[in-house]
Amino acid sequence: MNPSQRVLAIATTLLVVVTATWLATVNRRDRKDSPQAASVPPTALANNRQRDIWDAEHTTFEIERRFGPAFLDALRRGDRQRLAAFASADFHGNGLAATTSLEREHAGIHERIRQRSPGQDPPVGSRLTADAIAGLLLSTHGGFRDPVDFSLRVLQISRAPQPPRSWTARVLLTSRGRSPAGQQRLVASEHAISGIIADGRQLGSSPWLTRWSLERIVERTGPAGLFQEITAEWNLDSLPIADNWNLSPSDVLQYRFQLAVADFNRDGHLDLAVASLSNHPLLLAGKQGRGFQDVAAAVRLHRGQPRERLENLAAAWIDYDNDGWPDLILGDRLYHNQQGRRFIDATRESGLGFLPECMGCLVADYDADGRLDLYVIYQKPLGRKPSGQEQWINETDSGLPNQLWRNMGHGRFRDVTDTAHADGGRRHTHAGAWFFLDDDHFPDLYLANDFGHNVILRNRGDGSFDDVSEVTGANGFSTSMGVATGDLDNDGRTDIYVANMYSKMGRRIIAQVGEADYPPGIYRQIQGSCAGNRLYRGVAGSRFEEISQTAGVNAVGWAYAPVLADFDNDGRLDVYATTGFLSFDRTKPDG
Amino acid sequence: MSQPMDRSSRLPALGPVDSAAGEFWVENPFLMPRRGDNLSAFERNCLFLNTTDNRTLQFLDASFASTADLDSDSRSAIAADVDRDGDLDLLVGSVGGGPIRLLQNQIPQGHRVVLSLTGTDSNRSGIGCRVTIGCEDRHVIRDLFPANGFMGTGPTELTIGLGRATLITSLTIRWPTGQNQVFTDLAVDQHYTLTEGSQTIEASPLGLATGIDELKTTRRQQKD
């Protein structure tokens, strides 16, 4: 199996993450070979419940793809009459009669949120006509300089008891563009709507709405460009790294490279080491002034052969001999940095050994002996032929043991995973971070896992670790991809931000089922699999409270790398979060 | 919509599929990328600015104005001061839509210090240091663990924002060996190299911070 085949195997295992988000309709057949089949009740929903969910998702599609474009076109044109024409004869609407208004301003960004005050149902006398609602929508989403990006998405949907074929939904309407003064402007409004859908294909042209109620309006304006892209000016626009968007679907990969930053030659400029599966490694040296230049061949990180590939994607800097020149792990090799001039392969002497499924190397001095050690995280074994009954919710042995390598000095490392109790539970570990769980100076470990609960290992300070995952309350089952740690409120207790999956579809579906539909614990796992990124705030006693939704940092998407950094240097760590799985065609719907 | 519980099973469609409008059904999700079907496609990266006060964590979604809300299929992201002006830029790694993209920070900035920490008894890179800075109006606490995020590691220097503070009253380093070392009355907007066990300070000035007034978060709440 060559590296690209291996990575395709990673891609396919990851797709199963989707499974977890959509498990609500799972029909678990073929359980007869499973040892647990006799004791665990089946998770299958009754056929009619499955069909109900199918109908709701199909109706969502019709609303988003048939009604959405026609409605947004009328909104774009300011066509009040056409907007009102979607209302049926017995329509009634509600504006934001009794509201709470919150305004904030920071870094030149102004935000205003208006929402219905809790418990404030609109009085009957305040009902609005379709024409009045159309006017409200136009004023709410007006005030742009053309062109404007509009979108309409269904957040929740369910059948209404009466009359037949009626549905209620919560809809998110977003408009984004420039204000007349040239600022960036975004309006996101939520609406409770009802309607009778006789034929979904007619939603773009028929009067089907019976109710439209404004629930919440968020408006933001701000200066254009808190960041400015300078990729081309810094010579990063033509790197020899393959790009999925230029390839056919059969060549698409889930991961392509890892990136590690250091000033390897101590010239005051940051340099980037890139471990890539599609090409030889890169060492992009930061140049005086601006720009990067690949010096990997010049410093002997490869011999310039076209098919010189790495065995895995690991990239990490580690000054393992404390000589002040950062050494480099690249692929499955350890290179010693010869004073910034060249690198020498020191793998054999080091005793280090990596498996191909390596997802990363976390560098820290876990035993406080003054030498940097290495924690290596692993995915599930690649290329293993799946048995037909492989369970994605069953976390036992869902991955490989991680490795703890102790730096013994003299350029040698020893695998101490077993004696240190540090394998992390043989999970499918996507990312990890050293952090301080408690007040001592021995770094602890957070491990972000797919297909299983996350793991927290407390460093006992005697060379071994305790699994304290459950005690901390920060070990949610959430199909995690990444983790970042930092002190977001400067209270001396580390906070943890975990990248997971946020799925509108998953959230729509699980809103229609409940704990009673599944064996104990399963519903919470499904919830966690589509709830989005999680923020765990550190509280007393090495415990955490989960505040993702109230802090407003959960709805990111199919998220990967979280970053905690103080981008405005105001003393508070901000959040950047990457997201997006595989994109092929902007004209096609999303899966 | 519904997916098989295990990799090999398939689930047939349970109802109508409006293929004329682009609706599709895949019996097994493993087939989606091979068919070129979008899956969580063109999602935009997010930027949330921390507006916390009084210990209740709050964030302002600044993605829309950030230019950093790339819709690439992004994987890794690293905050690092690439252009050496004392604020953190972003390196974003993606598998589609441009492999490595560099985003230069243009946000109004508060005062800050950049620290390079040189261990002697501790590891020389200073990895595992905890830095506590006391200023007139606040404490700021930062730990140095460069591997943080996903598929990437950042530099071993700490860029620490200080907001409106114009003097560092105290700077305490807890070195990885557990020893504390305290520095007092340090100027802001400097790059300091601090060495374990030594009170000698190497300093080089950063540029002046701009736009501090814009970083004061203001709030107003009203009920109608």
Side-chain angles (χ1 to χ4, degrees), chain A residues 12 16 25 28-29 51 62 99 103 176 226 228 243-244 388 392 483 570 574 576 579-580 583-585, chain B residues 2 5-6 10 14 18 30 38 42-43 50 68-69 71 73 75 95 98 104 106 138 149 220 224:
Chain A
T12 49
V16 176
T25 54
R28 193 193 280 190
R29 304 162 296 178
R51 205 169 291 271
E62 299 288 27
T99 61
E103 287 188 61
R176 181 179 161 157
L226 299 178
Q228 182 185 1
D243 186 318
N244 281 350
W392 299 110
V483 57
D570 70 347
D574 309 300
Y576 184 71
T579 182
S583 310
F584 291 98
D585 186 342
Chain B
S2 61
M5 187 79 161
D6 61 60
R10 289 164 180 274
L14 291 172
D18 186 353
F30 296 105
N38 289 330
F42 307 108
E43 292 182 341
N50 190 335
D69 60 336
D71 66 0
D73 294 334
R75 298 294 179 265
V95 292
Q104 186 179 45
Q106 306 280 339
R138 72 180 73 209
R220 209 172 49 177
D224 295 347

Side-chain angles (χ1 to χ4, degrees), chain A residues 284-466:
Chain A
L284 303 170
K287 294 196 293 190
Q288 186 72 38
R290 67 181 186 192
F292 290 99
Q293 184 180 8
D294 180 19
V295 298
V299 299
R300 302 188 199 176
L301 285 171
H302 65 82
R303 294 182 303 279
Q305 303 301 315
R307 296 188 62 79
E308 225 176 316
R309 287 181 173 139
L310 302 176
E311 283 301 304
N312 67 45
L313 285 166
W317 295 97
I318 173 171
D319 181 6
Y320 65 87
D321 59 353
N322 287 323
D323 67 353
W325 298 92
D327 309 302
L328 180 60
I329 289 168
L330 206 54
D332 63 344
R333 316 308 295 170
L334 173 69
Y335 293 97
H336 185 257
N337 181 347
Q338 305 287 98
Q339 303 190 330
R341 291 193 294 273
R342 63 195 173 98
F343 287 82
I344 289 180
D345 192 329
T347 318
R348 187 197 293 239
E349 301 82 350
S350 74
L352 287 169
F354 302 101
L355 302 172
E357 298 84 358
C358 171
M359 287 296 285
C361 294
L362 318 176
V363 174
D365 179 11
Y366 81 97
D367 53 358
D369 67 352
R371 292 188 286 256
L372 288 173
D373 311 298
L374 197 55
Y375 193 75
V376 188
I377 54 174
Y378 289 101
Q379 285 204 330
K380 78 184 288 98
L382 302 174
R384 189 175 77 186
K385 203 168 162 54
S387 71
Q389 284 70 43
E390 193 156 7
Q391 301 298 307
W392 299 110
I393 288 288
N394 184 357
E395 58 193 328
T396 311
D397 290 338
S398 54
L400 281 178
N402 299 325
Q403 293 173 331
L404 177 64
W405 291 92
R406 182 174 181 219
N407 186 339
M408 309 302 291
H410 310 290
R412 282 196 287 274
F413 289 82
R414 180 181 292 163
D415 184 346
V416 296
T417 313
D418 292 341
T419 51
H421 309 295
D423 73 3
R426 305 174 67 91
R427 306 280 164 86
H428 190 91
T429 306
H430 267 139
W434 293 102
F435 75 113
F436 292 122
L437 174 67
D438 45 29
D439 289 333
D440 69 35
H441 62 282
F442 293 101
D444 311 292
L445 269 170
Y446 190 96
L447 302 173
N449 301 319
D450 211 345
F451 316 122
H453 284 83
N454 292 342
V455 166
I456 295 127
L457 298 178
R458 191 179 76 85
N459 189 337
R460 294 164 54 96
D462 63 358
S464 68
F465 292 79
D466 281 335

Side-chain angles (χ1 to χ4, degrees), chain A residues 12 15-16 19 22-23 25-26 28-29 51 53-54 57-58 61-62 66 99 101-107 109 111 176 184 220 223 225-231 234 243-245 249 254-255 257 259-261 268 270 322-324 363 368 370 372 386 388 390 392 431 434 436 439-441 481-485 487-490 492 547 551-552 557-558 560-563 566-586 588-591, chain B residues 1-10 14-16 18 21-23 29-30 33 36-52 55 57 59-62 64-69 71 73-75 77 82 84 86 88 94-107 109-112 121 123-124 127-128 130 138-143 145 148-155 161-163 174 176-178 214-215 217-222 224:
Chain A
T12 49
L15 264 174
V16 176
T19 309
W22 298 336
L23 266 178
T25 54
V26 153
R28 193 193 280 190
R29 304 162 296 178
R51 205 169 291 271
I53 289 171
W54 175 282
E57 283 306 299
H58 175 66
F61 180 84
E62 299 288 27
R66 299 283 191 183
T99 61
S101 165
L102 180 69
E103 287 188 61
R104 286 194 289 177
E105 183 132 16
H106 182 81
I109 294 171
E111 178 187 71
R176 181 179 161 157
Q184 295 289 322
R220 295 188 195 106
L226 299 178
F227 287 84
Q228 182 185 1
E229 177 155 14
I230 53 169
T231 306
W234 282 65
D243 186 318
N244 281 350
W245 290 13
Q254 155 109 23
Y255 310 124
F257 60 91
L259 197 56
V261 180
L270 295 177
N322 287 323
D323 67 353
V363 174
L372 288 173
E390 193 156 7
W392 299 110
W434 293 102
F436 292 122
D439 289 333
D440 69 35
H441 62 282
M481 314 297 280
V483 57
T485 61
D487 192 349
L488 292 165
D489 50 6
N490 290 309
I547 55 163
W558 186 315
Y560 284 93
V563 175
D566 188 354
F567 291 112
D568 52 10
N569 276 325
D570 70 347
R572 298 174 288 197
L573 291 172
D574 309 300
V575 174
Y576 184 71
T578 66
T579 182
F581 182 55
L582 292 173
S583 310
F584 291 98
D585 186 342
R586 288 184 193 273
K588 283 169 75 174
D590 205 351
Chain B
M1 176 181 64
S2 61
Q3 301 294 336
M5 187 79 161
D6 61 60
R7 253 204 257 197
S8 54
S9 63
R10 289 164 180 274
L14 291 172
D18 186 353
E23 191 177 19
F30 296 105
D37 287 327
N38 289 330
L39 191 52
S40 284
F42 307 108
E43 292 182 341
R44 289 187 173 276
N45 298 348
C46 295
L47 176 69
F48 303 110
L49 295 179
N50 190 335
T51 59
T52 298
R55 296 274 153 88
L57 287 172
F59 295 86
L60 175 64
D61 187 344
F64 77 105
S66 69
T67 314
D69 60 336
D71 66 0
D73 294 334
S74 297
R75 298 294 179 265
V82 175
R84 310 314 276 165
L88 292 166
S94 305
V95 292
I100 300 176
R101 295 171 71 172
L102 176 57
L103 299 157
Q104 186 179 45
N105 194 331
Q106 306 280 339
I107 306 176
Q109 295 291 317
H111 295 294
R112 72 288 195 210
D121 290 340
N123 73 82
R124 182 146 171 184
I127 293 172
R130 165 163 288 196
R138 72 180 73 209
H139 275 82
V140 179
I141 300 169
R142 297 286 176 264
D143 303 329
F145 289 114
N148 230 310
F150 175 78
M151 285 203 150
T153 59
L162 302 168
R174 188 182 72 193
T177 49
E214 291 184 64
L215 293 174
T217 310
T218 57
R219 279 187 188 75
R220 209 172 49 177
Q221 183 157 5
Q222 86 185 49
D224 295 347

Side-chain angles (χ1 to χ4, degrees), chain A residues 531-554:
Chain A
N533 287 8
R534 279 185 166 162
L535 176 57
Y536 296 100
R537 178 175 174 267
V539 296
S542 301
R543 285 175 167 75
F544 295 85
E545 57 178 13
E546 199 245 291
I547 55 163
S548 328
Q549 202 149 338
T550 51
V553 291
N554 66 313

